[in-house]
Amino acid sequence: MSQTTSELRIFISSTFHDLQEEREYLIKRVFPGIRQLCRERGVELTEIDLRWGLTEEEATQGKVIRTCLEEIDRCRPYFIGVVGDRYGWSPKFHEVQKDAELVRLYPWIEDMSADGASILEMEFEYAVLRDPSHSIGSYFYFRKHPEGYDYETDEHKKLEALKKRTKASKRPTKEFATAAELGEFVRADLTRLIELHWHKEDSDNPLEIERASHEAFASTRRRSYILNPEYLKVFNAFIDGESQPAPLVVTGISGIGKSSLMAYLAHSYARRNPNSFVISHFIGASTSTSDHSGLLRHICLEIKDRLTLADEVPSTTEDLTREFPNWLAKIQDEKFIIFIDALNQLEGLSVNLNWLPGFLPPNIRIIVSTTEGESLEALEKLNAPKLILAPIDSDQREAIIVRFLGEFHKSLNQPEVRRIAQDEKTSVPLFLRTLLEELRLVGSFSQIDEQIDHYLSCNDTADLFRRVLERMEQDYGSGLVEEFMTLIWSARYGLSESELLALLEQPGIGPDNQPFTRLDLSLMLNALDFHLIRKDGLLNFFHNYLRDAVENRYLDTEEKKKAIHVRLGKYFSAEPAAKRRLDEEPWQWQSAEEWGRFNKCLTNIPVLERLLEEERLYQLIHYWITYREHFDIAAEYGVAIDAFKEVCDDEERLANIMQKLGKAFTMASIQNPAELLLRQAVDLRSKKHKPNDILLCEAFNDLATFYYSSGKLLEAESLFRKSLDIQGNEKGSLPKAKTLSNLGATLYARGKYDEAAKFSGKALDICLLLFGEIHSETASNYNNLGTIFTAKQEYDLALSYFIKALNIFKLLYGFYNQQTSACLTNIGLLNGYMGNYAEAEINLKLSLEIKQKLFGQNHEESARVLGNLGFILERKGDFTNSIIYLKTALSLRKQIFGNNHIDTINNQLTIGLVFMKMGKVKEADKIFDEYLGKQANILGEDHPSVKTVRQKREELSGNNSSLSI
């Protein structure tokens, strides 16, 4: 499957009146199945049918022809032509002349119009007949004529001539008799097309599509751009420097022209150095993925193409991140320039830039742009040089005004140019460019002065976009503009064109209660081209000025915001439980504060199954933070599972759901239902699977993990050993490595440090063999070994393991993740043992910040770090603050685990030790009398923690050692 494009856009060309049945069949019977086929491959289908619902009266508007041709360009090379019995509407020559831009861009259209060509033939001509070699994704379908069809009429002669020319182009043509037969042909052709282009190993075509997308975006940003010579000096100095270990960072406020400068510099350098290797990647300009894997894959594909390599580009994000420096190193004998625009537009952990290589070969230069935020902070840590863009001066503004309008064969007189250029608001390129776009649309030159006054009287850029919305309402109707804008505003990640069209086509929202059409959508997309961004086939606002203007104009109350979120929630709730529904539906209900629907969504079994997948698990747990404020999570999921049992006849599926949900509950510290679900999963697996079955082994492991987290260490050890027995002599598998690692952790918790080190070391050896150094499993085992050697008081060795683990986790996942937090906790404790209390406190507070961001305030993991902070402060001698942290942790643990959990007991005993040091002997004795016996019953009298507490109670001084939480 191609990894570089996730949208299939197909233009459908046909006449309207004689093909309504066929159109309806395609839309209702064929395209839904094709769309599902696409989505199974991570591809978004967008069919462009501009004359669906378009009358000939509407088609006489001059802009319709240009809109059709522009859409054909956006869809290339994919095109479907369907011919019935009509040649179609032929625009008059004077109607074509209404749109001067149409004639300028497509001069051949005048000749065709003069010859009486129909829009149908114009579309066939532009899409295929002018150059059939560039139409590899085009298909044609001709309906068989009925008896009595008159071939001698002028219209039918033109139609037959068009069909003859089309067949001569050698593109696939088929004849059909019924709508169902047409549907079968289209379904078969598009299925073959999808399987060919999204399964083939040759990436040349996807790479060309990717390049074209970035070039199309860049060309709009270069238009009328006037370079500040100082920027060019900084760029040239960076390029010509001997070695540049970090990227050059182009930064500045939103709208200051970063993308335009990046587009200009890349184009200019490549033009001046025609044999140079230059790559431009504008994040959001193509349909590549919205995390860093999309841009890394693009760069690797360019390197593969440049060097004609047989090497396969890595397919997973983890492999791409690990292998990316090696791919850069393949370019050795030439200068290699990479431009990456809008790093702040990356999503998820990618914005932390941990994927960016820490070292660049001397021949490589990377230029990036970003606004303020996480990505800029990450670059500053690399000591990356910065080029901070300043507002443009009045001379530059004049040049931009003249050049931009000149490209559309328009001009202003000098006083008008000067009036615009001398207004300080136009020193922001986005303001100036948007103003000029507005002036370009003014129909009468006599209105120019009035419009200049209108837009220059704006208070700022935000006010300008408010007036742009007002103008668009006049041009396209307030209903369409409000619908389109608020739908995009309300989406979490944006909306595809298919989603937008489905929402716009809902009854009762358009003029006269009729739905809006595909033409309405295309007009809006064309009108907003400069202000929209596409990521993964989804449309979103390119900058926040337009988003804020939409919110202020149309969504000025909480009720309106909630209403639009409800609308999208309803729409996505009717979709299959696939990526788009999972991304949007729960977030929409949460945003709308529709808690009943939020509950129904999160307990819906097909949705739950997908949310329990590894890549979405933390998203589900994050939703549970809010969910638990409104519902008894154990009761609600219990009802959902019980209802599912009644209708489910697939015990394997049921066991899988129970096991995964139990694991998730374990991670979220939801104890009782976790144990129940995991035990039921073990029971189901035991009935169905043989004693040595790997699925049964996994069920044992998950229940053992729960017992470990619950403090039932003997039960956990027994199950892990049973799982290890099932796996037998398997030497190099990941499941065995995980079991060894878990058994090592359990033995560590029981104080059997030497045995723990042995099993954890075996797990590390397997992971290094399977995955190498840069992998999450390898890092986890480094972290475990660090913990064990801390307990063995081999601190230098422990620290080396922790640092290895921390660096790997940050490289793979960024800063805000569970693994990074665990490493920071362990390093903090180690610093505490070594007496480095200031460093220890910093480490632990960073870990706490991560935990609370991931899991919320009231989670077991937060309690653990709070307890560790109390322990460090006790060692430091800050008893007052130590008690505050320890009591906060204790309150959480009682709430989560109850009074008899080992973590609660250890927490109580640590408070007792601190009371002893503070001289509060009675309070300490009361705690020891109640909890020392409980601790010994769980851990055994010989456990190091039990011995330490008893020893400390006897010594009373407690100044030389303490109990770790």
Side-chain angles (χ1 to χ4, degrees), residues 543-790:
H543 47 77
N544 284 332
Y545 290 113
L546 183 55
R547 177 178 296 280
D548 293 343
V550 169
E551 182 174 336
N552 292 332
R553 186 164 182 81
Y554 306 121
L555 301 166
D556 56 346
T557 67
E558 288 302 313
E559 288 72 21
K560 291 179 181 178
K561 293 174 185 175
K562 289 178 181 178
I564 192 69
H565 284 305
V566 166
R567 185 171 164 194
L568 259 71
K570 288 180 178 178
Y571 171 80
F572 283 107
S573 69
E575 292 291 293
K579 181 179 186 300
R580 289 295 294 135
R581 180 177 178 183
L582 300 173
D583 282 345
E584 293 286 347
E585 188 195 355
W587 186 85
Q588 295 295 341
W589 297 135
Q590 185 181 50
S591 300
E593 298 182 2
E594 285 281 332
W595 304 123
R597 287 166 164 163
F598 189 50
N599 177 26
K600 184 178 179 181
C601 172
L602 291 185
T603 56
N604 175 280
I605 295 299
V607 171
L608 178 63
E609 285 180 287
R610 295 296 304 274
L611 288 173
L612 286 169
E613 294 172 358
E614 185 175 355
E615 63 271 17
R616 294 186 180 273
L617 189 52
Y618 282 111
Q619 178 182 340
L620 175 62
I621 292 172
H622 188 74
Y623 282 134
W624 281 348
I625 295 172
T626 304
Y627 185 89
R628 293 166 78 171
E629 296 175 3
H630 301 276
F631 301 100
D632 181 335
I633 195 167
E636 296 296 333
Y637 277 96
V639 170
I641 293 295
D642 287 343
F644 184 64
K645 287 178 184 177
E646 296 296 320
V647 298
C648 178
D649 55 4
D650 183 349
E651 287 191 345
E652 187 66 40
R653 183 184 178 193
L654 180 59
N656 194 47
I657 293 171
M658 288 178 165
Q659 190 172 329
K660 287 187 174 180
L661 184 56
K663 287 175 64 176
F665 280 159
T666 301
M667 293 176 64
S669 301
I670 305 170
Q671 298 295 312
N672 291 335
E675 181 175 11
L676 177 63
L677 287 166
L678 291 169
R679 289 183 64 86
Q680 289 177 333
V682 167
D683 291 341
L684 281 173
R685 300 261 194 233
S686 298
K687 282 196 312 180
K688 191 174 181 63
H689 296 279
K690 296 178 182 179
N692 61 347
D693 192 282
I694 192 65
L695 290 175
L696 181 57
C697 170
E698 290 176 359
F700 283 143
N701 279 342
D702 290 339
L703 182 56
T705 300
F706 167 79
Y707 283 139
Y708 172 83
S709 69
S710 302
K712 299 178 180 179
L713 301 178
L714 286 172
E715 292 92 331
E717 181 182 345
S718 174
L719 283 172
F720 282 134
R721 289 188 184 277
K722 187 178 292 188
S723 175
L724 211 53
D725 289 341
I726 291 175
Q727 294 172 75
N729 295 324
E730 178 65 44
K731 293 183 178 179
S733 72
L734 178 58
K736 184 164 186 178
K738 287 186 173 181
T739 307
L740 287 164
S741 177
N742 288 333
L743 180 55
T746 305
L747 291 165
Y748 161 79
R750 294 197 61 209
K752 298 181 178 181
Y753 302 135
D754 290 335
E755 201 174 357
K758 180 183 75 172
F759 284 108
S760 294
K762 288 181 179 179
L764 176 62
D765 291 341
I766 292 176
C767 291
L768 287 169
L769 178 66
L770 290 176
F771 309 116
E773 183 80 5
I774 309 301
H775 193 277
S776 58
E777 295 297 333
T778 304
S780 293
N781 282 287
Y782 278 137
N783 190 45
N784 291 343
L785 283 165
T787 303
I788 294 167
F789 283 102
T790 298

Side-chain angles (χ1 to χ4, degrees), residues 890-907:
L890 179 63
S891 175
L892 287 177
R893 282 167 166 156
K894 283 183 175 180
Q895 176 185 332
I896 296 166
F897 300 124
N899 285 328
N900 296 319
H901 189 276
I902 187 60
D903 285 351
T904 307
I905 293 167
N906 283 340
N907 203 140

